[in-house]
């Protein structure tokens, strides 16, 4: 069995979807073993990068697969890959025990559509499994307090990098 410290990070993307009022999309997760309580079940869209896939293309694909959103403009991306470790207590159950956490490339996107485009119940035209059970627009500065605690440093960095794009 591979030691926790020797496990690799799962390559993934994260998306800060910002509307015209400077608010950011967050979704309430449908479930997950990493949830510690009902207050920390919100997150921005994120997901894995397929082998050979470009991170920007992965970001657009993941956004569509989780929210049905395609009406976006790329505003920025964080140059660094941001990482977080999942707690050891759930590492063996998350991602079939193959990863210790995720390394994420984050993108800020301007949402250019209308709220009716967003469909988290039947994302991607109903082809993809729902990741979220509800969603809302939230001020960017609130995001770190809504995420599971072990992801908080990543969200703090995302807020720091993208705050000006949200007008705050």
């Amino acid at each position: 069995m591979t030691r926790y410290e020797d496990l690799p990070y799962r390559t993934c993307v994260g998306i800060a979807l910002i509307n015209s009022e400077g608010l950011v999309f967050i979704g309430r997760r449908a479930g997950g073993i990493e949830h510690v309580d009902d207050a920390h079940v919100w997150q921005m869209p994120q997901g894995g990068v397929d082998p050979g896939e470009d991170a920007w293309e992965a970001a657009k694909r993941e956004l569509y697969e989780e929210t049905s959103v395609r009406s976006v403009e790329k505003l920025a991306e964080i140059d660094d890959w941001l990482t977080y470790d999942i707690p050891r207590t759930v590492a063996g159950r998350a991602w079939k025990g193959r990863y210790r956490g995720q390394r994420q490339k984050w993108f800020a996107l301007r949402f250019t559509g209308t709220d009716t485009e967003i469909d988290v119940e039947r994302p991607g035209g109903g082809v993809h499994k729902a990741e979220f059970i509800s969603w809302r627009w939230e001020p960017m500065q609130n995001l770190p307090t809504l995420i599971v605690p072990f992801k908080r440093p990543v969200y703090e960095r995302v807020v720091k990098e993208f705050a000006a794009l949200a007008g705050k």
Side-chain angles (χ1 to χ4, degrees):
M1 182 171 166
T2 305
R3 291 179 338 131
Y4 175 83
E5 296 80 11
D6 296 331
L7 290 170
Y9 288 99
R10 178 176 177 254
T11 301
C12 138
V13 292
I15 301 103
L17 183 66
I18 305 168
N19 71 10
S20 61
E21 291 149 20
L23 300 173
V24 180
F25 173 98
I26 57 169
R28 183 181 173 93
R29 291 284 313 257
I33 58 173
E34 73 276 10
H35 290 158
V36 293
D37 58 45
D38 285 340
H40 300 99
V41 294
W42 297 90
Q43 73 175 38
M44 291 180 278
Q46 65 176 54
V49 177
D50 294 334
E53 186 177 29
D54 173 76
W56 167 236
E57 294 303 316
K60 292 186 292 184
R61 177 185 53 76
E62 284 291 338
L63 181 64
Y64 179 69
E65 289 177 0
E66 293 185 5
T67 67
S68 298
V69 168
R70 285 197 165 134
S71 302
V72 296
E73 296 173 352
K74 182 178 176 183
L75 298 174
E77 75 180 80
I78 297 175
D79 290 333
D80 300 326
W81 286 84
L82 309 182
T83 61
Y84 68 83
D85 292 347
I86 58 174
R88 290 174 185 262
T89 55
V90 298
R93 295 176 284 158
W95 308 300
K96 300 178 183 174
R98 296 181 299 193
Y99 304 101
R100 71 184 282 179
Q102 295 195 86
R103 68 188 283 270
Q104 300 177 316
K105 175 62 75 171
W106 277 88
F107 296 89
L109 307 181
R110 175 74 63 208
F111 179 50
T112 59
T114 63
D115 286 2
T116 58
E117 181 177 350
I118 299 169
D119 184 354
V120 298
E121 293 174 10
R122 298 184 61 247
V127 176
H128 300 283
K129 181 181 178 220
E131 298 274 336
F132 302 121
I133 57 173
S134 61
W135 68 276
R136 69 181 190 233
W137 296 108
E138 185 73 27
M140 185 174 281
Q141 68 270 18
N142 296 350
L143 301 180
T145 63
L146 300 171
I147 190 70
V148 290
F150 63 87
K151 292 182 184 180
R152 190 166 293 144
V154 167
Y155 271 53
E156 289 169 345
R157 174 78 185 275
V158 169
V159 168
K160 178 181 174 190
E161 295 279 341
F162 295 154
L165 300 172
K168 303 291 178 198

